[in-house]
Amino acid sequence: MSVARQARYPVIAATHSRKKPLTVTQLKTKLLACDAFGITRAAKLLNSGKTVAIPTETVYGLAADARSDNAVQKIFDAKGRPAENPLIIHLARPEDLPRFARAGNLAMSLAGRFWPGPLTLVLPAKENSGISRVATAGQRTVALRVPAHETARKILGAFGGPAAAPSANLSGHVSATAASHVLDDLGGRIDAVVDGGSCDAGIESTILAVEADTIQLLRSGAISAEDIESEIGEKVLLGSGTGAPPAPGRGFAHYAPKTRVRINADRPGIDEIWLGFGSNAKEDSMNLSKSGDLSEAASNLFQMLRIADKLAIESGSAAIAVSRVPDYGIGRAVNDRLRRAAEGRKDWQA
Ligand code: TXA
Ligand code: MG
């Protein structure tokens, strides 16, 4: 999970490769390689209050110094993100947790088992930890994550501080799982992007709120609730009623391509782009996973939605029709994103 995959799905990578030269606007954003020079440069940019998109094992994150109101504000501005939607704070090492949050035994064992990795913990924030209130949107809690991606960890280590980083897409749009997706959405609006190839998991981290002895799922993600329960031996509460506040961002429209999305489809209509799953396939169409593997479907989801959107716009298709995906394990995270994509977003502008 820690190493960026360059092209596990060569057909898709080729379809999406950039054939046109970068535009002048996009060139304002430096494209850095994930080598020693790129990592050092990215850390320096973060230290001087700039915004840098970095690869993680889930999706690309748009990072800035979490201690600086000014730097964090640049993230909100670049994404067009509502100010009341707090950001996840990314740390280089699990040992950094106590500097920023109060963690009991349960939170410590979750961090011990799943960090570094695609799990975000929402915990009571420590006062005077130095995290900007712009980043936490004034919440009394803070969302923390230690990514497993080698390049992300090197950049965070070289930077030396906490980095606020939401997904590196325009607010409300499909998350970015390749540097080219970041440039498509944010080229010219951010200072740099580090190209670490395609993200492995391809879907965001699982978010848990941990309060005393309860664990509440705030967002399904790359680690399934079933896996967390079996590792920790504690129930993960789904839905509300536990007293933990919902993730504020869950109220906003998300993951919407420009084209309408129709989910749980049995087959495509004549004017629809088809996104199949398993044996529910159509010749020459995209398939989230031919073998019906849910992790592969999660990994392909965002890039295939972006491609389907482009194809639909080019061909004047009315909608993207997506096959039914089983609703267990990682399938729950896939269905969550698909439902939100299908809700659409009327006010979304590229
Ligand atoms: O995999 C991921 O989590 C990626 C990578 C870049 O780390 N990040 C990501 O960030 O998905 P973003 O901003 O797109 O989604 C973070 C979610 C939002 O719904 C936000 O409302 C929620 O986390 N969140 C942040 N701080 C919170 C808090 N204190 N309490 C509850 N929810 C919080
Ligand atoms: Mg996001």
Side-chain angles (χ1 to χ4, degrees):
M1 196 48 90
S2 64
V3 179
R5 167 166 46 73
Q6 290 295 332
R8 192 162 123 201
Y9 307 103
V11 176
I12 300 305
T15 316
H16 207 76
S17 69
R18 183 172 291 284
K19 297 195 184 74
K20 284 182 275 178
L22 293 173
T23 62
V24 173
T25 323
Q26 286 171 328
L27 284 173
K28 285 187 195 158
T29 301
K30 288 178 194 68
L31 183 58
L32 303 173
C34 61
D35 55 12
F37 175 82
I39 287 164
T40 308
R41 190 75 190 275
K44 277 193 183 145
L45 287 167
L46 290 173
N47 265 313
S48 55
K50 308 279 194 211
T51 50
V52 183
I54 62 170
T56 83
E57 71 277 23
T58 58
V59 298
Y60 275 71
L62 178 57
D65 188 339
R67 301 160 297 192
S68 158
D69 291 349
N70 191 27
V72 170
Q73 187 58 47
K74 290 180 187 165
I75 294 178
F76 283 90
D77 293 346
K79 282 187 56 109
R81 184 176 175 106
E84 55 277 28
N85 192 2
L87 308 178
I88 297 174
I89 309 304
H90 293 64
L91 309 174
R93 291 166 296 270
E95 308 85 90
D96 296 338
L97 186 163
R99 287 172 50 203
F100 303 102
R102 289 196 300 279
N105 291 342
L106 192 50
M108 290 307 283
S109 60
L110 282 161
R113 170 59 192 86
F114 292 105
W115 280 2
L119 177 73
T120 295
L121 295 175
V122 172
L123 301 168
K126 266 213 176 137
E127 272 135 50
N128 307 320
S129 70
I131 300 285
S132 154
R133 285 180 67 76
V134 181
T136 55
Q139 303 272 328
R140 60 166 195 87
T141 52
V142 63
L144 298 174
R145 156 159 144 73
V146 178
H149 193 286
E150 202 182 314
T151 304
R153 300 197 74 198
K154 283 184 181 161
I155 294 169
L156 290 168
F159 166 53
S167 52
N169 51 276
L170 281 171
S171 187
H173 196 209
V174 179
S175 300
T177 56
S180 63
H181 304 167
V182 178
L183 286 171
D184 282 346
D185 273 28
L186 301 172
R189 293 167 168 255
I190 60 175
D191 295 300
V193 53
V194 179
D195 188 351
S198 299
C199 300
D200 198 349
I203 207 153
E204 297 88 345
S205 62
T206 303
I207 306 184
L208 301 176
V210 187
E211 286 251 25
D213 55 356
T214 60
I215 309 176
Q216 188 193 353
L217 183 73
L218 298 187
R219 178 178 73 184
S220 53
I223 304 176
S224 70
E226 291 93 326
D227 281 353
I228 294 165
E229 286 181 344
S230 70
E231 282 292 332
I232 297 293
E234 292 285 340
K235 190 99 194 101
V236 174
L237 302 174
L238 312 175
S240 55
T242 58
R250 305 299 286 158
F252 299 108
H254 263 84
Y255 313 116
K258 290 176 197 158
T259 310
R260 190 168 69 78
V261 176
R262 185 168 71 87
I263 55 174
N264 297 324
D266 293 321
R267 65 189 74 81
I270 46 166
D271 58 350
E272 291 180 325
I273 299 290
W274 180 239
L275 199 44
F277 176 81
S279 57
N280 193 1
K282 197 174 157 272
E283 216 180 310
D284 294 336
S285 285
M286 285 181 286
N287 194 320
L288 289 168
S289 169
K290 280 193 180 133
S291 62
D293 180 286
L294 291 169
S295 296
E296 188 182 33
S299 168
N300 281 332
L301 179 69
F302 290 136
Q303 62 172 340
M304 287 195 174
L305 277 178
R306 281 179 179 259
I307 294 165
D309 200 20
K310 281 193 178 155
L311 291 175
I313 290 164
E314 274 164 28
S315 62
S317 302
I320 302 165
V322 190
S323 169
R324 197 175 297 279
V325 175
D327 203 36
Y328 56 81
I330 302 298
R332 262 201 258 161
V334 173
N335 281 316
D336 168 77
R337 307 310 187 265
L338 283 172
R339 267 193 302 277
R340 284 160 178 274
E343 280 164 16
R345 178 170 175 176
K346 293 186 189 67
D347 63 338
W348 187 76
Q349 302 284 322

